[in-house]
């Protein structure tokens, strides 16, 4: 099990955020390429819920600049409320939300038995999804180590 990370007090530089965002997008693509994704609409709930968690994390990353600068977001209902925080403070809280989501995502993908604890059935995610999930974790770890 992963230990709790030291969460940053500022959002990482744009190039670090871009790497995390790109790796989350690659993970979304890998999930959408899973053989069970297109068997019958909608996809199986276990795969869908992981995809939704990843997709929301990706979306939050794409809106960090807008959040930090107090600009409107495209889908404000998808952004964590963070107890009314705004500006840079809200962006940090949203980034930290992505960090904790990414830890949870990686643990669910690497250890699918965790899905059972959430009331979902186990699934074999396959090597590509596991690899892409590790890549997200590595990008998050890099961001956290550069912020300390």
């Amino acid at each position: 099990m992963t230990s709790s990370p030291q969460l940053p007090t500022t959002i990482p530089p744009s190039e670090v955020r871009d790497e995390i965002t790109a790796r989350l997008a690659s993970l979304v693509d890998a999930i959408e390429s899973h053989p069970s994704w297109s068997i019958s609409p909608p996809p199986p709930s276990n795969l869908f819920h992981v995809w939704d968690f990843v997709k929301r994390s990706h979306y939050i990353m794409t809106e960090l600049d807008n959040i930090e600068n107090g600009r409107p977001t495209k889908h404000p209902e998808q952004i964590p409320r963070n107890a009314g925080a705004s500006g840079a403070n809200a962006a940090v809280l949203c980034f930290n939300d992505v960090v904790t989501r990414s830890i949870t995502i990686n643990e669910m993908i690497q250890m699918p038995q965790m899905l059972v604890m959430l009331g979902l059935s186990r699934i074999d995610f396959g090597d590509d999804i596991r690899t892409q999930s590790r890549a997200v974790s590595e990008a998050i770890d890099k961001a956290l180590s550069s912020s300390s």
Side-chain angles (χ1 to χ4, degrees), residues 17-144:
R17 294 192 316 263
D18 291 347
E19 181 178 353
I20 294 167
T21 304
R23 289 187 180 193
L24 284 164
S26 294
L27 179 54
V28 167
D29 291 344
I31 293 169
E32 290 174 351
S33 296
H34 189 279
S36 295
W37 185 259
S38 59
I39 287 177
S40 65
S45 63
N46 48 7
L47 198 57
F48 176 80
H49 287 294
V50 171
W51 171 88
D52 184 57
F53 217 56
V54 176
K55 192 78 169 164
R56 173 114 19 135
S57 299
H58 177 265
Y59 174 68
I60 292 168
M61 290 299 298
T62 67
E63 291 285 13
L64 283 179
D65 282 335
N66 288 331
I67 295 165
E68 181 177 41
N69 293 297
R71 295 187 300 253
T73 58
K74 191 181 259 187
H75 302 287
E77 71 282 0
Q78 300 294 317
I79 303 295
R81 300 243 186 273
N82 295 317
S86 61
N89 190 32
V92 168
L93 292 172
C94 286
F95 178 72
N96 290 343
D97 185 68
V98 171
V99 169
T100 57
R101 284 169 164 274
S102 297
I103 292 167
T104 303
I105 290 163
N106 192 51
E107 288 181 353
M108 286 190 297
I109 289 172
Q110 303 304 330
M111 299 177 289
Q113 63 270 25
M114 287 186 66
L115 293 170
V116 176
M117 295 179 352
L118 300 172
L120 300 169
S121 59
R122 292 175 68 153
I123 186 169
D124 180 2
F125 286 102
D127 292 338
D128 189 33
I129 292 174
R130 284 191 291 274
T131 299
Q132 297 303 327
S133 181
R134 278 191 296 275
V136 171
S137 290
E138 290 166 4
I140 292 286
D141 289 345
K142 182 177 171 184
L144 295 177

